[in-house]
Amino acid sequence: QKEVEQDPGPLSVPEGAIVSLNCTYSNSAFQYFMWYRQYSRKGPELLMYTYSSGNKEDGRFTAQVDKSSKYISLFIRDSQPSDSATYLCAMGGGGNTGKLIFGQGTTLQVKP
Amino acid sequence: GAGVSQSPSNKVTEKGKDVELRCDPISGHTALYWYRQSLGQGLEFLIYFQGNSAPDKSGLPSDRFSAERTGGSVSTLTIQRTQQEDSAVYLCASSSKFYNEQFFGPGTRLTVL
């Protein structure tokens, strides 16, 4: 079993839809959680960073962490065609290293 | 300000050759990371440098892979005797310190023929 599981999709939605992206993890030592967006042939771009359970909102994006269930989510409201990309969850902590463990990534397509 | 830069952006090499990939982190960032992204896969951690501490090499897949960071800034990832399974995008990231957000470069796309 992978430490971080993420449905690779692809996920296709119409413009304006609410998108929900999810990851589960098995290592209870993870302490911080991130979501990255990656456009084709580009490096990942940090979207959200959270350090605790609960919700964090930034514009149209909301990150949710439930440590008791080992489950994290990213919600995108009013999705736009420019949101079409691969979304990667990542998590780390629990040891003397800064390395991140990534999910496989979910490919999202927002159709105009 | 300038972000993380990597060179070359693309590298095509023949099986058995050695390659060197370079990463310039964001100025002032003390932590530097190398990851590998194979087709359709998430990012796989390779190695991590933090200041003057011994690097965390736990992700290096074989002894053909090595990395160094000179002067606490630029890093070079070296792959010796490349194999076709080494073909991937090699990504470098840096952060201001341990546990902080990691910022990625554009990657080097390595193709081993």
Side-chain angles (χ1 to χ4, degrees):
Chain A
Q1 182 188 7
K2 294 180 181 178
E3 275 192 285
V4 179
E5 298 276 1
Q6 182 177 10
D7 186 339
L11 181 62
S12 182
V13 301
E15 183 175 354
I18 296 174
V19 176
S20 172
L21 305 167
N22 312 293
C23 288
T24 58
Y25 62 95
S26 58
N27 188 346
S28 58
F30 287 141
Q31 297 177 21
Y32 53 97
F33 307 88
M34 303 179 189
W35 285 96
Y36 284 86
R37 177 175 62 195
Q38 187 175 26
Y39 292 113
S40 181
R41 293 185 172 265
K42 300 286 188 183
E45 167 195 3
L46 182 67
L47 279 178
M48 301 287 282
Y49 176 98
T50 55
Y51 198 76
S52 61
S53 283
N55 293 353
K56 181 177 182 179
E57 189 173 320
D58 184 1
R60 296 185 295 110
F61 298 90
T62 299
Q64 193 173 76
V65 174
D66 182 346
K67 287 187 176 181
S68 62
S69 300
K70 299 191 184 69
Y71 187 88
I72 69 170
S73 300
L74 178 71
F75 298 96
I76 307 174
R77 289 185 299 281
D78 186 25
S79 55
Q80 303 295 308
S82 59
D83 295 329
S84 298
T86 296
Y87 290 80
L88 297 149
C89 64
M91 44 201 81
N96 192 28
T97 175
K99 73 180 182 184
L100 294 177
I101 306 299
F102 281 81
Q104 188 177 352
T106 299
T107 300
L108 171 67
Q109 183 181 27
V110 181
K111 295 183 176 180
Chain B
V4 177
S5 61
Q6 292 185 246
S7 60
S9 55
N10 284 283
K11 177 71 176 178
V12 179
T13 190
E14 294 179 347
K15 178 181 173 181
K17 300 281 190 182
D18 297 352
V19 295
E20 284 189 353
L21 313 179
R22 177 187 167 105
C23 172
D24 281 90
I26 293 173
S27 178
H29 279 191
T30 57
L32 186 148
Y33 316 78
W34 283 98
Y35 295 87
R36 178 169 71 174
Q37 187 173 32
S38 302
L39 188 63
Q41 300 296 313
L43 276 69
E44 172 192 7
F45 167 78
L46 296 176
I47 188 169
Y48 155 62
F49 297 89
Q50 170 63 52
N52 295 320
S53 302
D56 177 352
K57 304 179 182 180
S58 61
L60 294 179
S62 78
D63 58 9
R64 296 187 295 106
F65 288 72
S66 63
E68 59 180 27
R69 188 178 186 193
T70 53
S73 180
V74 171
S75 178
T76 302
L77 177 69
T78 300
I79 309 174
Q80 295 179 310
R81 305 181 302 282
T82 52
Q83 304 295 311
Q84 288 183 333
E85 61 262 29
D86 299 334
S87 296
V89 176
Y90 289 82
L91 290 155
C92 174
S94 70
S95 64
S96 58
K97 57 184 178 180
F98 198 154
Y99 278 35
N100 275 15
E101 298 96 308
Q102 295 181 22
F103 296 90
F104 281 81
T108 293
R109 184 172 298 273
L110 175 65
T111 303
V112 182
L113 301 177

